[in-house]
Amino acid sequence: MKLSVILGSLLFTTSILAAPRSRSSRLAERVARRAATRTRGSQPLIPLGSGTKEGPDGEISNVQYSGNWAGAVIESPPAGSTFNAVSAQFNVPSASPPSGASRSGSYSASAWAGIDGDTYGNAILQSGIDFTVSGSGEQSFDAWYEWYPDYAYDFSNFPMSVGDTISVSIVSTSASAGKVTLENLSTGHTASESLTAPSSSSHLGGQNAEWIVEDFEEGSSEVALANFGTVTFTDCVAKTSGGESLGPSSGTIIEIEQNGEVLTDVSDGGSTVTVTYA
């Protein structure tokens, strides 16, 4: 009798240890690990070359290929001015594992707006969200801000769900100071942060304004890119120190290319940028 009780207890304990972790516990572990390591970061555009592409209306657009960015970049402000504000709205996408993904893998991408990082690579003032999906289809989201070359920092208490509308605003008050604001228009949650340049060599140049989906870095390498479906940036505006407002149609389309394959399909028009996982 005593032996059977002991064996039953051992079997019960083993079943507890072998029980799968809940979704909330896995998410909590990932968030804690991300906060402890502080290794998530965006990188300046990795240029791979340029070309042209034909849009659905037959219009020919110039395209720049990149290893990590997809979207649109205005690569220079009007003469005598600098970019000092960038804003947009976009919906939280539903991400899925890419074709051939491992069920034990993790796949991510980010959507953000920012100042600098293309032709001017010393700094990027930016904010946006990351979307991550496991190989089994479990999704999670993070809201963050960053002044590159510092790492990204997460906003706390900024819940998101697929389909929520996110508003992002980036404002530089000087070359070494700025403010970022994220608002979930679907829930009413708002987060903002005032930042200063992490070093004297990382002041803003105000030379680029962008709306980007990125294959960002975690640790020292890019994350495995998720199939993010489509991210559409709307109400895209870049403002200058001269009081002018420009849209993405005055910029350059950027496509992600990895291992010789173009992974995105980007279009812009007026105040909209659409980035589709191809």
Side-chain angles (χ1 to χ4, degrees), residues 15-248:
S15 68
I16 293 177
L17 292 174
R21 293 172 296 159
S22 68
R23 179 185 185 278
S24 59
S25 68
R26 290 196 300 271
L27 178 58
E29 288 175 8
R30 187 184 64 77
V31 171
R33 183 171 62 251
R34 177 181 169 110
T37 57
R38 288 291 177 214
T39 59
R40 185 262 181 244
S42 291
Q43 293 293 316
L45 178 140
I46 301 172
L48 296 178
S50 59
T52 60
K53 66 180 292 185
E54 183 176 351
D57 57 358
E59 182 181 354
I60 302 299
S61 302
N62 293 322
V63 178
Q64 184 173 4
Y65 297 99
S66 165
N68 60 334
W69 286 18
V73 180
I74 306 176
E75 296 185 324
S76 61
S81 65
T82 57
F83 289 115
N84 59 14
V86 179
S87 59
Q89 295 181 17
F90 61 90
N91 292 104
V92 178
S94 179
S96 60
S99 177
S102 167
R103 285 186 60 84
S104 62
S106 179
Y107 307 89
S108 302
S110 63
W112 55 268
I115 298 173
D116 289 334
D118 184 342
T119 59
Y120 183 90
N122 289 0
I124 314 171
L125 178 59
Q126 58 188 144
S127 184
I129 68 169
D130 293 346
F131 21 98
T132 298
V133 61
S134 70
S136 60
E138 177 188 341
Q139 297 188 70
S140 60
F141 309 100
D142 299 284
W144 53 268
Y145 58 92
E146 180 176 355
W147 191 312
Y148 172 88
D150 197 4
Y151 292 115
Y153 294 85
D154 288 345
F155 284 118
S156 60
N157 190 30
F158 193 86
M160 289 172 281
S161 300
V162 171
D164 285 357
T165 301
I166 306 298
S167 172
V168 55
S169 169
I170 313 295
V171 177
S172 66
T173 53
S174 71
S176 60
K179 183 177 182 178
V180 301
T181 303
L182 280 183
E183 183 178 1
N184 188 331
L185 300 178
S186 301
T187 66
H189 285 82
T190 299
S192 63
E193 187 74 20
S194 295
L195 296 88
T196 56
S199 69
S200 59
S201 61
S202 56
H203 286 184
L204 294 171
Q207 297 303 297
N208 313 135
E210 59 261 351
W211 302 268
I212 298 297
V213 172
E214 182 182 10
D215 186 1
F216 63 89
E217 282 196 359
E218 202 158 61
S220 58
S221 60
E222 294 170 355
V223 296
L225 187 64
N227 178 346
F228 52 83
T230 296
V231 175
T232 301
F233 297 90
T234 61
D235 299 328
C236 299
V237 178
K239 295 184 178 181
T240 74
S241 57
E244 297 167 279
S245 296
L246 287 76

